[in-house]
Amino acid sequence: MDSERSDTATPISPTATIVIVGAGQAGGWAAQTLRNEGFTGRLVLIGDEAHPPHERPPLSKAVLAGEAAPASTWLLKPEAFAALGLEWWLDTRVTRIDRAAKRLEIANGEMLPYDKLILCTGGRARALTVPGVDTAAVHTLRTIGDALALAPALRPGRSIVVIGGGWIGLEVAATARRKGAEVTVLEAQSRLCERTVPPEVSEHLLGLHASHGTRVMLGANIAGIAPGTGGRSVVKLADGSTLACHAIVAGVGLVPNDELAWEAGLECDGGVVVDAGCRTSDPDIFAAGDVAVTPNPWAGRRLRLESWQNAQEQGIAAARAALGLAVDYQPLPWFWSDQYGMNLQIHGIPLPSHRVVARGTPGADSFVLFYLDGDVVKATLGSNAARDLRFARRHIEQCKPVDASRLADPNVPMSRQ
Ligand SMILES: Cc1cc2nc3c(=O)[nH]c(=O)nc-3n(C[C@H](O)[C@H](O)[C@H](O)COP(=O)(O)OP(=O)(O)OC[C@H]3O[C@@H](n4cnc5c(N)ncnc54)[C@H](O)[C@@H]3O)c2cc1C
């Protein structure tokens, strides 16, 4: 992707039509931003769910636990949403982008013209494909409906098998244990969250789950699923062993919803490719959130971020870009996860080539790991250490050289590093 792409922006007419496809977190922020920036033209927000724009993190935590209502996830109170003065087409699916005519085809056959289009179509939970998968109700967790369907299974006397030891799988496991269910996590790789955290953090997660009574089986390959007795299903493993359970949850990753873009001939590469101006290979089409593949200087390559921070910030950036405002979206990635009272946060991208400096003991309740390139902090990862991490984030952003021995000393405040 060439960086000149963002230089072709022209201010948009106040009578233009901007359409946002995808009424999730990124779409919701894009809509608010367009109005906040003074766009007075026609604004259409199309989403194939029945809910207003909302945040998904509580769906594996408080909403799944029955401790928060689905409506608590909405980005805006109903009156603030109504005040945006937009057309919200709920339960509506866009089926095609006609770039030549600059219009969208809707599932009911209607055609909708646009001047600027923002794709915020997110992703969907990857389906489990093993023999016998149709013989059991295999849950996935992406939507409010998914959380409400799974929640009743999380209670004492029920056994849950979670397939996949990534973030969603581990958060479901933590919530299920908290609600009293028996939980087994099956992970095909040799460690938890292998794709996103270094080995020392996988170890920490393993210890955390074991200490709460979750059974974690690593290197576990699923051979199939079969009906069992007493309302149970049976998960068959490749080594011949079996596990009977009341519910199966597959947390095996996300498939980006990039088909619309791909079929319209936009550049895609595991998601919709955009530049730092959130612009796709069509200057009138922008993309943001889980569906967007963005150049990231912190990673040294382009990547697709699946995080709350990115959905919000890139949704805002894409809206500004659609209005012709200057945008240079190159975020320091930030992700968090909450499991059993542990708040884990990752800033930046820890790489195997980085030197690790620990502040506190990995595995303890609270610690921070710094990932250094020479004497510059490139990434941090911490458990229950939000304050230290806020300071550390500044170090990363400022590329400020640090003294590793002082960083490692919890008696030297982060503000004095
Ligand atoms: C259970 C769960 C827990 C999470 N926890 C955390 C966390 O703790 N920390 C963190 O940083 N991140 C977390 N995340 C990630 C974060 O929630 C996502 O990155 C964020 O929701 C992405 O927002 P989005 O708007 O890009 O996509 P989405 O929220 O997926 O919104 C996309 C919307 O577009 C709709 N759509 C798709 N195609 C079409 C079409 N053709 N026509 C109409 N509508 C369409 C989709 O149905 C969907 O409603 C979690 C995610 C999940 C699922």
Short mmCIF file of all heavy atoms in Angstrom, two decimals, residues 1 3 16 47 71 77 84 123 127 135 170-171 184 186 192 213 232 247 324 334 347 357 381 390 399 403 415:
data_model
loop_
_atom_site.label_atom_id
_atom_site.label_comp_id
_atom_site.label_asym_id
_atom_site.label_seq_id
_atom_site.Cartn_x
_atom_site.Cartn_y
_atom_site.Cartn_z
N MET A 1 0.85 -1.20 0.00
CA MET A 1 0.00 0.00 0.00
C MET A 1 0.88 1.24 0.00
O MET A 1 1.80 1.36 0.77
CB MET A 1 -0.85 -0.05 1.27
CG MET A 1 -1.59 1.22 1.59
SD MET A 1 -3.25 1.31 0.97
CE MET A 1 -3.72 -0.37 0.79
N SER A 3 1.83 5.20 0.58
CA SER A 3 1.41 6.18 1.56
C SER A 3 0.78 7.40 0.89
O SER A 3 0.13 8.19 1.54
CB SER A 3 2.60 6.60 2.41
OG SER A 3 3.61 7.05 1.55
N ALA A 16 -23.69 15.62 0.91
CA ALA A 16 -23.32 14.28 0.46
C ALA A 16 -23.97 13.20 1.33
O ALA A 16 -24.52 13.49 2.40
CB ALA A 16 -21.80 14.14 0.52
N GLY A 47 -26.55 -2.17 9.82
CA GLY A 47 -26.00 -3.30 10.56
C GLY A 47 -26.92 -4.50 10.49
O GLY A 47 -28.14 -4.34 10.49
N ALA A 71 -27.97 -4.26 27.35
CA ALA A 71 -28.06 -2.83 27.01
C ALA A 71 -26.93 -2.02 27.62
O ALA A 71 -26.64 -0.91 27.17
CB ALA A 71 -29.41 -2.27 27.45
N LYS A 77 -26.44 6.17 24.94
CA LYS A 77 -27.81 6.09 25.47
C LYS A 77 -28.77 6.34 24.30
O LYS A 77 -28.42 7.09 23.37
CB LYS A 77 -28.01 7.16 26.53
CG LYS A 77 -27.16 6.95 27.77
CD LYS A 77 -27.89 7.51 29.00
CE LYS A 77 -27.29 7.04 30.29
NZ LYS A 77 -26.01 7.67 30.59
N LEU A 84 -28.12 11.88 16.98
CA LEU A 84 -27.16 11.91 15.86
C LEU A 84 -27.88 12.19 14.54
O LEU A 84 -27.24 12.54 13.54
CB LEU A 84 -26.41 10.58 15.74
CG LEU A 84 -25.46 10.23 16.90
CD1 LEU A 84 -24.84 8.86 16.66
CD2 LEU A 84 -24.37 11.29 17.05
N GLY A 123 -15.80 -8.99 12.22
CA GLY A 123 -15.51 -10.39 11.88
C GLY A 123 -16.53 -11.28 12.54
O GLY A 123 -17.38 -10.83 13.32
N ALA A 127 -15.93 -21.07 12.70
CA ALA A 127 -16.69 -22.27 13.07
C ALA A 127 -15.74 -23.45 13.26
O ALA A 127 -14.72 -23.54 12.58
CB ALA A 127 -17.73 -22.57 11.99
N THR A 135 -23.69 -32.80 15.72
CA THR A 135 -24.47 -33.59 16.67
C THR A 135 -24.59 -32.91 18.03
O THR A 135 -25.27 -33.40 18.91
CB THR A 135 -23.81 -34.98 16.89
OG1 THR A 135 -22.53 -34.77 17.53
CG2 THR A 135 -23.60 -35.73 15.58
N LEU A 170 -10.24 -18.41 27.10
CA LEU A 170 -9.82 -18.28 28.50
C LEU A 170 -10.77 -17.40 29.29
O LEU A 170 -11.04 -17.66 30.47
CB LEU A 170 -8.39 -17.72 28.57
CG LEU A 170 -7.30 -18.67 28.03
CD1 LEU A 170 -5.92 -18.05 28.22
CD2 LEU A 170 -7.36 -20.04 28.69
N GLU A 171 -11.30 -16.36 28.66
CA GLU A 171 -12.26 -15.52 29.39
C GLU A 171 -13.56 -16.30 29.66
O GLU A 171 -14.14 -16.19 30.74
CB GLU A 171 -12.54 -14.23 28.62
CG GLU A 171 -11.33 -13.30 28.64
CD GLU A 171 -11.65 -11.88 28.22
OE1 GLU A 171 -12.77 -11.63 27.72
OE2 GLU A 171 -10.77 -11.02 28.38
N THR A 184 -12.96 -27.59 31.28
CA THR A 184 -11.74 -28.11 30.67
C THR A 184 -11.44 -27.27 29.44
O THR A 184 -12.33 -27.05 28.61
CB THR A 184 -11.90 -29.58 30.24
OG1 THR A 184 -12.29 -30.34 31.39
CG2 THR A 184 -10.60 -30.14 29.67
N LEU A 186 -9.23 -27.09 26.04
CA LEU A 186 -8.40 -27.90 25.13
C LEU A 186 -7.67 -26.96 24.17
O LEU A 186 -8.31 -26.20 23.43
CB LEU A 186 -9.29 -28.85 24.33
CG LEU A 186 -10.16 -29.81 25.14
CD1 LEU A 186 -11.06 -30.62 24.23
CD2 LEU A 186 -9.30 -30.73 26.00
N LEU A 192 -0.69 -21.61 25.98
CA LEU A 192 -1.90 -20.77 25.84
C LEU A 192 -1.56 -19.46 25.12
O LEU A 192 -0.46 -18.91 25.28
CB LEU A 192 -2.49 -20.47 27.22
CG LEU A 192 -3.00 -21.70 28.00
CD1 LEU A 192 -3.41 -21.31 29.42
CD2 LEU A 192 -4.19 -22.34 27.27
N GLY A 213 -8.96 -24.06 39.39
CA GLY A 213 -9.63 -25.35 39.19
C GLY A 213 -10.03 -25.65 37.76
O GLY A 213 -10.82 -26.57 37.51
N ARG A 232 -25.57 -34.93 27.56
CA ARG A 232 -24.16 -34.53 27.36
C ARG A 232 -23.73 -34.81 25.92
O ARG A 232 -24.36 -35.59 25.21
CB ARG A 232 -23.26 -35.30 28.30
CG ARG A 232 -23.39 -34.94 29.78
CD ARG A 232 -22.38 -35.78 30.55
NE ARG A 232 -22.33 -35.43 31.95
CZ ARG A 232 -23.15 -35.92 32.88
NH1 ARG A 232 -24.12 -36.74 32.53
NH2 ARG A 232 -23.02 -35.57 34.14
N ALA A 247 -21.80 -28.68 27.73
CA ALA A 247 -21.73 -27.65 26.68
C ALA A 247 -20.31 -27.55 26.13
O ALA A 247 -19.33 -27.74 26.86
CB ALA A 247 -22.16 -26.29 27.24
N GLY A 324 -12.41 14.19 4.65
CA GLY A 324 -11.31 14.89 3.99
C GLY A 324 -10.34 15.52 4.98
O GLY A 324 -9.48 16.33 4.59
N TRP A 334 -2.88 -1.73 21.86
CA TRP A 334 -3.17 -1.93 23.29
C TRP A 334 -4.34 -2.90 23.40
O TRP A 334 -5.36 -2.74 22.75
CB TRP A 334 -3.55 -0.59 23.94
CG TRP A 334 -4.06 -0.74 25.35
CD1 TRP A 334 -3.47 -1.46 26.34
CD2 TRP A 334 -5.26 -0.19 25.90
NE1 TRP A 334 -4.22 -1.38 27.50
CE2 TRP A 334 -5.32 -0.60 27.25
CE3 TRP A 334 -6.27 0.62 25.40
CZ2 TRP A 334 -6.37 -0.24 28.09
CZ3 TRP A 334 -7.32 0.99 26.24
CH2 TRP A 334 -7.35 0.56 27.57
N HIS A 347 0.79 -3.54 25.81
CA HIS A 347 1.01 -2.37 24.95
C HIS A 347 2.13 -2.74 23.98
O HIS A 347 3.16 -3.26 24.40
CB HIS A 347 1.46 -1.16 25.76
CG HIS A 347 0.38 -0.58 26.61
ND1 HIS A 347 0.25 -0.82 27.94
CD2 HIS A 347 -0.64 0.26 26.29
CE1 HIS A 347 -0.79 -0.16 28.41
NE2 HIS A 347 -1.35 0.50 27.44
N VAL A 357 12.73 -7.57 30.62
CA VAL A 357 13.09 -7.10 31.96
C VAL A 357 11.82 -7.18 32.81
O VAL A 357 10.77 -6.65 32.43
CB VAL A 357 13.60 -5.64 31.91
CG1 VAL A 357 13.80 -5.08 33.32
CG2 VAL A 357 14.89 -5.55 31.11
N LEU A 381 3.90 -5.71 29.10
CA LEU A 381 2.81 -6.63 29.38
C LEU A 381 2.72 -6.72 30.90
O LEU A 381 3.74 -6.92 31.56
CB LEU A 381 3.18 -7.96 28.76
CG LEU A 381 2.13 -9.02 28.64
CD1 LEU A 381 2.48 -9.95 27.51
CD2 LEU A 381 1.98 -9.74 29.94
N ARG A 390 0.58 2.64 32.51
CA ARG A 390 0.30 3.96 31.90
C ARG A 390 1.59 4.73 31.67
O ARG A 390 1.82 5.32 30.63
CB ARG A 390 -0.65 4.76 32.79
CG ARG A 390 -2.12 4.59 32.40
CD ARG A 390 -2.97 5.72 32.97
NE ARG A 390 -2.89 5.84 34.41
CZ ARG A 390 -3.55 5.08 35.27
NH1 ARG A 390 -4.36 4.15 34.84
NH2 ARG A 390 -3.42 5.26 36.58
N CYS A 399 10.01 6.59 22.82
CA CYS A 399 11.27 5.90 22.46
C CYS A 399 12.42 6.37 23.36
O CYS A 399 13.55 6.58 22.89
CB CYS A 399 11.63 6.13 21.01
SG CYS A 399 10.47 5.45 19.87
N ASP A 403 17.07 2.74 31.93
CA ASP A 403 18.07 1.96 32.66
C ASP A 403 17.36 0.69 33.14
O ASP A 403 16.48 0.75 34.00
CB ASP A 403 18.57 2.82 33.83
CG ASP A 403 19.55 2.07 34.71
OD1 ASP A 403 19.50 0.82 34.73
OD2 ASP A 403 20.36 2.74 35.39
N SER A 415 7.35 6.90 37.37
CA SER A 415 7.42 8.33 37.01
C SER A 415 8.86 8.85 37.06
O SER A 415 9.15 9.92 36.54
CB SER A 415 6.54 9.14 37.95
OG SER A 415 6.91 8.86 39.29
#
